[in-house]
Amino acid sequence: MRKISGAGLGLCLALFLTWFAFSARPKAQTPVAQAARTPVLVELFTSEGCSSCPPADALLRKLTAQQPIAVAEIIGLEEHVDYWNHDGWTDPYSSPEWTERQQDYVATLKEDAYTPELVVDGQRQFVGNNSHQAEIEIEKAAGSVKTEVTLSAAKPDGNGSQRFSVSVGKLAGGRMDDAAEVWLAVTEDGLHSAVSRGENAGRVLQHVATLRSLHKIGTANASGASASFTGDTLVKFNPRWNPEKLHVVVFVQEKRSRKILGAASSTMRGKTESQARTEPASTY
C-alpha cells in the first residue's frame, strides 16, 4: 500500500476543496423569455412651420426606432396640422383632417391645441419634446388592460391596393356606454423637406411614421364573446408613397373618451402574407 506524502495530501485536499466550491455554486439560471410588448399608440401633432417641432420629430424617431420601453411596442403616428401654413411655409404633409383630430382631443381632454404635442393612447397629452414624460406615460399605458388586435395582409393585387384582415378580440379596458371604433391608418417613414421659408427656413426636416391616410373601418361589438370585430378591408396606396417605407396600423378607439383600447401594426416592405402578419397583442 502506497502512502501519500504530506505534500501529496495537501494537493489532494486543495483539489477536493476546489471541486466542492465549484459544485456548490448556484447553477446559472436560464434566461427568462422576454415578455411580450404591449402596443401603445403615440401620436405627435407637429408642423414644419413650427420651430419647436423638430426636436419632437426627432423624439418620435428615437422612440419608434429604439423602442426604449421594455414593456411597450411603441406605434407612432406623426400628424401634421395645417394651422401653421399661413406663416410662410406650407407643410406638404399637413391636413385639416389631422387638425380636426387634434381638436377632438382638445375637446375631450380639456387642453388647448399646440405644437408639438404628444398624445399617448388617447389619454395623456403633453409637450411633444419632453422625452422624460413620454417614457413615463408610455410605460404607464403599457401596464393598462388592452384589447387584443391582430392584422394580416394578403399579397398586393398589382393595382396599387392590398387587402387586410382585421380581428379585434373581446373588448377590454373600455366603457360599455361608449362606441369602440376600429380605425386603419397608413404611415410612411423617411419623408423629409428642405424648408425655405417660415420659422424653420434653411433646415432639412426628417420625419417618421407620417400619417398618410386614416379611415374608420367599423365598430366593435361590446357584447361579442371572443371576437368583437372581424373584417377585410381594401387599402389603396398612393403611387407617390414609397412601399418600402409604409406601415399599416389598426387601432380601436372609443368615440367619446378617445381612449385607445388596443392596436397592431404591420410593415409592408414587400413581405408575403405570412411575413406581414403581426403578432397578437398580449391578452390581459
Side-chain angles (χ1 to χ4, degrees):
M1 181 176 178
R2 293 181 58 187
K3 294 183 178 180
I4 302 175
S5 66
L9 182 62
L11 177 60
C12 289
L13 181 60
L15 290 172
F16 172 79
L17 292 175
T18 301
W19 170 83
F20 179 81
F22 179 82
S23 63
R25 287 190 309 177
K27 296 294 188 292
Q29 298 296 316
T30 302
V32 178
Q34 184 178 6
R37 291 173 178 256
T38 301
V40 176
L41 192 71
V42 178
E43 299 178 68
L44 172 63
F45 293 96
T46 185
S47 172
E48 289 189 345
C50 159
S51 61
S52 57
C53 286
D57 300 343
L59 174 59
L60 187 64
R61 290 200 305 275
K62 175 184 175 181
L63 291 173
T64 56
Q66 298 182 7
Q67 298 288 330
I69 313 300
V71 294
E73 176 198 349
I74 300 170
I75 300 175
L77 296 182
E78 187 181 270
E79 302 167 52
H80 290 236
V81 298
D82 67 347
Y83 50 79
W84 279 91
N85 289 350
H86 64 277
D87 272 6
W89 175 257
T90 298
D91 186 334
Y93 310 115
S94 64
S95 169
E97 292 182 65
W98 316 152
T99 300
E100 183 179 353
R101 182 167 175 82
Q102 185 186 35
Q103 291 296 334
D104 288 341
Y105 282 126
V106 167
T108 303
L109 302 178
K110 312 300 182 185
E111 296 281 351
D112 294 330
Y114 56 86
T115 55
E117 178 186 27
L118 277 175
V119 179
V120 175
D121 263 357
Q123 295 295 282
R124 299 287 187 272
Q125 63 182 79
F126 48 93
V127 177
N129 52 23
N130 189 332
S131 60
H132 179 66
Q133 188 169 4
E135 294 191 6
I136 290 175
E137 298 297 348
I138 291 168
E139 185 170 10
K140 187 186 302 180
S144 64
V145 175
K146 297 288 184 179
T147 297
E148 182 182 7
V149 180
T150 58
L151 168 69
S152 60
K155 292 182 179 179
D157 66 1
N159 296 317
S161 59
Q162 190 163 6
R163 188 165 295 278
F164 291 84
S165 295
V166 178
S167 177
V168 179
K170 185 176 177 61
L171 293 180
R175 296 169 43 176
M176 293 297 294
D177 62 345
D178 205 342
E181 299 178 330
V182 184
W183 293 83
L184 187 144
V186 178
T187 68
E188 184 173 355
D189 291 340
L191 297 175
H192 61 275
S193 293
V195 180
S196 60
R197 301 177 65 185
E199 291 188 3
N200 288 314
R203 303 183 67 174
V204 176
L205 303 183
Q206 306 289 337
H207 305 298
V208 70
T210 304
L211 189 56
R212 286 300 207 174
S213 68
L214 179 64
H215 301 288
K216 187 174 77 171
I217 61 174
T219 302
N221 180 5
S223 61
S226 59
S228 58
F229 176 87
T230 56
D232 291 339
T233 183
L234 188 66
V235 180
K236 189 168 183 62
F237 300 105
N238 190 306
R240 292 178 299 173
W241 302 345
N242 183 352
E244 297 293 316
K245 300 290 187 178
L246 295 181
H247 300 258
V248 174
V249 177
V250 169
F251 58 91
V252 183
Q253 183 169 36
E254 289 189 324
K255 184 175 183 179
R256 291 199 299 274
S257 76
R258 312 302 296 163
K259 182 180 181 180
I260 303 296
L261 302 182
S265 67
S266 174
T267 179
M268 300 314 300
R269 294 191 178 89
K271 293 184 176 180
T272 65
E273 181 177 1
S274 61
Q275 291 171 320
R277 191 178 303 274
T278 59
E279 293 297 327
S282 300
T283 303
Y284 297 84

